[in-house]
Amino acid sequence: MIKSNHIKFKKANNFSDWYVEILIKSEFVDYSPIKGFMVLRPNGYEIWEFLQDIINKKLKKSGHRNAFLPILIPENLLVKEKNHFNGFNPEVFWVSKYGNSNKLALRPTSETLAYFFYSKWIKSWRDLPLKLNFWNTALRAEIKSTKPFLRTSEFLWQEGHTAHATQKEAENEVYDILFMYKNIIENELAIPVIIGKKTNKEKFVGAVYTTALESIMPDGKSLQMGTSHLLGQNFSKPFKIKFLDKSNVENYVWQTSWGVSWRLIGAMIMIHGDDKGIILPPRISPIQVIIIPIYYSLQELEKILAVANKIQNALVNKNVRIEIDKRDNVTPGFKFNYWELRGIPLRIEIGPSDMNKQKFVLVNRYTKEKKCMNINELDEIVNILETIQNAMFNYVKKSINEKIVEVKNYEQFKIHIKNGKSVMAPLCKNELCEMKIKQETNADVRVITFNKTNSSKKCIYCNSRCSEWSLFGHGY
Amino acid sequence: MIKSNHIKFKKANNFSDWYVEILIKSEFVDYSPIKGFMVLRPNGYEIWEFLQDIINKKLKKSGHRNAFLPILIPENLLVKEKNHFNGFNPEVFWVSKYGNSNKLALRPTSETLAYFFYSKWIKSWRDLPLKLNFWNTALRAEIKSTKPFLRTSEFLWQEGHTAHATQKEAENEVYDILFMYKNIIENELAIPVIIGKKTNKEKFVGAVYTTALESIMPDGKSLQMGTSHLLGQNFSKPFKIKFLDKSNVENYVWQTSWGVSWRLIGAMIMIHGDDKGIILPPRISPIQVIIIPIYYSLQELEKILAVANKIQNALVNKNVRIEIDKRDNVTPGFKFNYWELRGIPLRIEIGPSDMNKQKFVLVNRYTKEKKCMNINELDEIVNILETIQNAMFNYVKKSINEKIVEVKNYEQFKIHIKNGKSVMAPLCKNELCEMKIKQETNADVRVITFNKTNSSKKCIYCNSRCSEWSLFGHGY
C-alpha cells in the first residue's frame, strides 16, 4: 500500500535519491536485510517476466533451448581457466559446510560448470551447434554501495552458452546475439545503445573478445547494458570439449557466452522516469491502459462498468493490454497517483456524465496530455501507444547524442570529460594510451565502436595512426 | 547425442536403475560433479517450463502475483520461529565468507525472509490479502543417496506465501491451493492422488497443520506430491506482521504457505514410463505429435515436406503441438527411437509411397499401436490425444487402487505392510499409536484422508473409537 505518492526528490537535482525513491514508492523493489541484496516485488517482477518472454521467443526462434544448472560450483572447476578464476575470485561467495566436499562456490557465472557438461555432451559434429540458455541468478559480492538493479550482490539474468564447429560460426553467434539485444533494448525498452568491442583491458575474463552495448544515463554516466563474448577455444581446451568432425578428426569446439540482467529494468527507469515516478514504454508495460471508474453511487458504478467492459473488450481485440481498476477501498484520486507512479502509459477516466455521452477522458502518462474522446474513437489508442513508444525513443536518442562530444585532440578531451560529457575519440591499439588516459582523466573506454570510417585518424593520446573510434566516459 | 537407445534395465525387475537410465538416456537430466545436485537438460526443462506456465495461469487468475526473493537469509531471521529453524537447521548450507556479515543461510525455504518483508508491507486491512508466489530453488543438504527429481540437495519449485485478515480466509486458501494442485496433477500429469492432512508428527515445521497430496509409485512406495500449510499466526507473531482492521484495531495476520517442485516430473516419469523410455501424457507434452519424413532422395524429401507442412498447419489450427523432425544427419530409425525414448505421444511417418496416396502411418507411444490414416482424417488425432490422456490416468488409477488395502485389524495391517502394500486403516489422534506402528512396522502415516465416513471406527492400534482413515506406507 502506498502511503504517500509525493516524490520528494527531483530527477534534475538529486538523480540518485530520486531513482531509489521512485523504485521504493512504486513498490518495484525493496532492500534485503543483507546489504547488497534486493527483493523484486510484483510490480517490478512483472516487467522481468515480460522481458523474459520477449527474449525467450527470440532465442527459441533461433534454435536456442533453456535448461537448468546447479548454483554450486566446485572450486576445482572454477579455477580451470586461470584468467577467468582470477577475475571472479574476489567476488565469490563460498559455502562452508557440506559434508567432506571440496570448497563450493555460489555461481558468479556458469561458464566452468556448463563446460564440464559440454565436454560430456559433445562428442561428434552431429552434436553441434549446442546453443543453451539459463535463466538464473548470479552472485558476486559487491564492495561498493548498492544501487537497485545496477549494483547488487545477487542479480537475475540470463546467460547463454554456445559451442560451434568453427570459429566463423561462433563469431556469427556473438554478433547475432549482440544485434538481438540491440533490437530488444532499442525497440522494446526505448533505450538507444552504442555497440562495439571492449578493449583487452575491459573484456570478460577468459574471452578472446567481448562485444557490448552501452548507453548513457541522464546523469551522464555510462551503463553497460549487455555483453556477448567470443570465448574461442579458451575454455574448450582446459575443459577438453572436443568433437569428431565429418572426416573423423578430433577438434576443440569454438564457444560463445552472453547475457543481460535485470539491470535493463534499472536503466529503463532511470532514463524514462520523471518527477511523478516511473514511465514505462508501452511495448514493455504489462498493462498499457488502465480504466478508472469515477462514481458516487453503486448504481452509477454498474453503468460505468458496463461501458468500461465494452472499452476493454474492444481494445483487447486490438491486442491492447488493458485492465479496469475496480478496487472499492480507495478513491479515484488515489488510483490516479497509483498508476502514474507505476508508469502505466494511458489512463482512461469514466465518470457519470461522460458515460451518458459515450465519452471518456484519456490521460497520457508520458506527455501528461488529457483529452476527451468518444467511444467510437477507440482505434486511435493503438496509434497513441505507438506514438508514445517512438517519442520516448527519439527524445532519449537526442539527449544521449547531446551528451556525446566528438573530439580530435587531448586538450578538448580533458575539458569535456571534466564537464561530465562522454567523449568519442580515436584511440590506437597500444594499451598504454588507454591506461595513461585513465590515470590522467579517470575516463574508461566504454567501447571501441563499430562506427569505423575509412579516413585514417590519429590516436587522441599518442598521435599515432589508428582507424577506430572509442567511446570514453565514467561508468556505474 | 544418444549413443544407444537400448534401455538395459526393465521397469518390472529393476525399477530404480530403470528410472535413472531412462532419465539419462532421454537427456532429461545429468548429475552434477557435486553429489546431490542435478542438471536439468533442455528436454527436461521444457516440461518444467510447461508446468510453470499451467500453474502461473491458474495462480494469476486467482489473484496471486509472482515476485523474487534473495537466496541468502540471515541466521537471525531463520531462527525466529524456533520449530521451523530446528526442523531445517541440519540441512542448511551456510555461506562462510561475506565481509563482516552474520552467518548467511542458502534458502531452504523462504518463510522467514518473506515474512520479514510482509511485516513492512502490511499495515492495513487494505493491504490484505497479500498473495505472492516465488519461482526459485531451495537448498537442503541431502544425506541419503540422490535420486533425480525426488531427492536432490537443490530443487526447482514454487513457494506461495499468503497473508489474510481472518483464519477462515487463510483456511480457504489452503484448500483452494490443495485442490488446484490436485486438478493439475490428475488432469495434466495423469497421476491420481490421495489428499488429506499430515499428522502432527509429519506436518511442516512451524505450521498449524499441513495438507498434502500423496501418490503411490510403481514400486509401491508413497511419494508426497505437494503440500499446502496453514501457518495460522505462528509466524505473524514472532515476525510482527500486524494490520489495522476496519475498526482500527490491530491484529496479527493469518498465513499460508504451499509448494510443488520438479518432483512432479519425477513422479510422472516413474509412473508412466515403460521399457522403451519416457511416456508423456499428451496435455503436458511440449510436442504432442512428431512428423518423421522417410525418403531416399532430396526430390522425395521435398514432396514429403510439402505434405508434412500441410499436416502440421492443419493440426496447429486445432491447437495440437506438432513438429517436423527435419534433421538430415540421422536416419529415420534413429529418429523413431529418439522420440520414443523422450515419450512424445504420437509419431507420424510419411514415406514416398504413402505420400502419393495422401496417407501416413500414425504410431501411438502409449499403446504402441500403428495405423495407416488418410490425410482427411486428421481431426481424429485430437480425439486420439484425449483418449491417450484418459487411458493413462485410468490405468494408473486402477493400479494404485490395487496397491492400497483397507484393513480393520493390526494383524492384517502388518502382513500387508510387510508385503509392500499401502494400507488404509483407522487411526486415533493419540500420537503414541502412530509412533508404535512406526516402530513395529516401519510404516509412516502418509495422510489422514478426507475420506471420512460417519460410521464410528476403531483405531487399528489401540482400538479406541476414532473417525478418520489414514493411509500408511513407506515413503521415498
Side-chain angles (χ1 to χ4, degrees), chain B residues 243-259:
Chain B
F243 71 102
L244 286 176
D245 67 17
K246 287 186 186 178
S247 45
N248 237 21
V249 175
E250 203 173 61
N251 287 288
Y252 288 104
V253 300
W254 296 85
Q255 293 181 267
T256 81
S257 74
W258 28 271

Side-chain angles (χ1 to χ4, degrees), chain B residues 87-248:
Chain B
F88 279 108
N89 189 27
E91 303 170 5
V92 170
F93 289 90
W94 297 99
V95 163
S96 50
K97 194 202 109 184
Y98 186 52
N100 302 320
S101 70
N102 293 323
K103 235 168 125 188
L104 301 176
L106 266 70
R107 156 182 65 223
T109 180
S110 300
E111 275 75 7
T112 54
L113 185 56
Y115 306 159
F116 166 82
F117 290 105
Y118 282 24
S119 72
K120 292 171 68 179
W121 297 343
I122 297 171
K123 297 294 169 202
S124 137
W125 63 274
R126 287 191 181 83
D127 303 322
L128 295 176
L130 180 61
K131 305 201 286 185
L132 299 188
N133 178 59
F134 305 92
W135 290 100
N136 57 32
T137 55
L139 284 108
R140 301 177 190 170
E142 268 297 345
I143 43 167
K144 294 193 219 168
S145 67
T146 304
K147 196 165 207 110
F149 291 120
L150 307 192
R151 205 163 51 227
T152 47
S153 291
E154 179 189 35
F155 53 87
L156 277 166
W157 75 335
Q158 60 68 219
E159 43 175 329
H161 295 277
T162 70
H164 306 264
T166 66
Q167 177 171 8
K168 190 172 162 23
E169 257 187 63
E171 292 208 64
N172 286 343
E173 173 79 6
V174 169
Y175 286 95
D176 286 350
I177 295 295
L178 184 74
F179 284 100
M180 177 191 82
Y181 286 156
K182 181 170 154 62
N183 178 294
I184 292 169
I185 296 169
E186 297 199 326
N187 294 337
E188 311 285 340
L189 303 178
I191 303 176
V193 288
I194 294 138
I195 56 172
K197 269 191 193 177
K198 288 282 178 183
T199 62
N200 269 326
K201 185 170 156 281
E202 300 284 338
K203 73 182 181 190
F204 178 69
V205 281
V208 173
Y209 64 74
T210 288
T211 64
L213 308 104
E214 291 281 328
S215 193
I216 298 172
M217 299 299 108
D219 61 354
K221 285 193 191 159
S222 285
L223 188 68
Q224 182 177 293
M225 308 289 283
T227 47
S228 178
H229 316 292
L230 181 72
L231 304 181
Q233 298 179 320
N234 289 355
F235 286 85
S236 63
K237 286 178 177 170
F239 282 88
K240 299 195 173 54
I241 315 176
K242 293 183 278 193
F243 71 102
L244 286 176
D245 67 17
K246 287 186 186 178
S247 45
N248 237 21

